[in-house]
Amino acid sequence: MEVSFAMTGKGYVLLAADTTAVHSIIKVKTDVDKIKELSPHLLMAYSGEPGAVVSRDTVQFAEYVERNIRLYQIRHTYPLRPPSAASWIRRSLAESLRSRNPYSVNLLLGGYDTSTYTPHLYWMDYLGTLVEVPFAAHGYGSYFALSLLDRYHDPEATVEEGLAVLRRCLDEVSKRLVVSPGKYKVKIVDKDGIREVEL
């Protein structure tokens, strides 16, 4: 029942994820932050595979990624750029897939590359598939939101215009999805770093 969205705009990446933690048909918590800050200019929204029973694996994998990207920054005195971080995370998921205990985690990775001054957004699934995209969604909400994002996404949109498109997606999910999440956490990454936005 997890839902996450992301889109790029003019100099920023916008990520949104629901705040509910579910186990089968039971809502466990309603205040979970599913968007990890990996570095000063890198965000990751994570969720379990739709229909699967979500366990500690999603949180464990997110923390594993966060710690390793921070370790890289400590060792080399500079953070990983978004394309390099996406490749490393994809390789970690692919290696996990071939182990006895694979992670069932879907990811949206957004970052701002301070060396090229460009935003990057990557869509990744639990099989280790990686693609750079202008907008993305995971979860059951993606069935409704992807067509809206396809129609209304503008790569030159301001933050306010991007938030308006995101509100349109969230409204559609709340209207049409049988078990829709109640609250979402929204974060933006741009040249100034990461900040949370209220909808």
Side-chain angles (χ1 to χ4, degrees), residues 88-113:
W88 183 84
I89 295 168
R90 191 217 67 81
R91 187 185 53 123
S92 298
L93 270 175
E95 288 173 356
S96 161
L97 189 63
R98 289 154 182 84
S99 69
R100 290 190 182 269
N101 298 312
Y103 291 108
S104 244
V105 183
N106 295 316
L107 305 170
L108 299 175
L109 183 71
Y112 186 83
D113 195 338

Side-chain angles (χ1 to χ4, degrees), residues 99-175:
S99 69
R100 290 190 182 269
N101 298 312
Y103 291 108
S104 244
V105 183
N106 295 316
L107 305 170
L108 299 175
L109 183 71
Y112 186 83
D113 195 338
T114 54
S115 60
T116 61
Y117 307 107
T118 53
H120 294 274
L121 175 62
Y122 298 92
W123 180 93
M124 210 174 309
D125 71 359
Y126 71 102
L127 296 173
T129 307
L130 172 68
V131 64
E132 186 169 5
V133 291
F135 56 85
H138 270 302
Y140 287 121
S142 66
Y143 299 133
F144 309 112
L146 285 175
S147 59
L148 287 170
L149 289 168
D150 187 47
R151 179 175 179 138
Y152 295 108
H153 175 262
D154 178 11
E156 295 298 312
T158 64
V159 173
E160 292 77 20
E161 293 168 338
L163 288 170
V165 172
L166 178 64
R167 278 189 202 94
R168 189 181 288 245
C169 291
L170 299 181
D171 289 344
E172 192 67 22
V173 168
S174 68
K175 271 194 290 189

Side-chain angles (χ1 to χ4, degrees), residues 11-161:
Y12 69 89
V13 178
L14 179 66
L15 279 90
D18 71 294
T19 60
T20 54
V22 297
H23 183 75
S24 184
I25 60 169
I26 300 169
K27 190 183 291 187
V28 181
K29 290 176 78 176
T30 58
D31 61 349
V32 179
D33 187 359
K34 297 179 187 173
I35 303 177
K36 278 272 188 213
E37 298 179 16
L38 303 178
S39 73
H41 291 92
L42 193 63
L43 286 171
M44 179 178 75
Y46 59 93
S47 63
E49 182 186 353
V53 176
V54 180
S55 65
R56 294 185 304 255
D57 283 355
T58 54
V59 176
Q60 184 181 0
F61 184 75
E63 289 175 352
Y64 167 75
V65 168
E66 178 188 27
R67 301 299 191 281
N68 278 283
I69 287 181
R70 287 196 180 164
L71 177 63
Y72 180 91
Q73 184 174 354
I74 291 168
R75 284 182 176 166
H76 300 282
T77 66
Y78 57 89
L80 274 174
R81 293 174 54 205
S84 303
S87 294
W88 183 84
I89 295 168
R90 191 217 67 81
R91 187 185 53 123
S92 298
L93 270 175
E95 288 173 356
S96 161
L97 189 63
R98 289 154 182 84
S99 69
R100 290 190 182 269
N101 298 312
Y103 291 108
S104 244
V105 183
N106 295 316
L107 305 170
L108 299 175
L109 183 71
Y112 186 83
D113 195 338
T114 54
S115 60
T116 61
Y117 307 107
T118 53
H120 294 274
L121 175 62
Y122 298 92
W123 180 93
M124 210 174 309
D125 71 359
Y126 71 102
L127 296 173
T129 307
L130 172 68
V131 64
E132 186 169 5
V133 291
F135 56 85
H138 270 302
Y140 287 121
S142 66
Y143 299 133
F144 309 112
L146 285 175
S147 59
L148 287 170
L149 289 168
D150 187 47
R151 179 175 179 138
Y152 295 108
H153 175 262
D154 178 11
E156 295 298 312
T158 64
V159 173
E160 292 77 20
E161 293 168 338

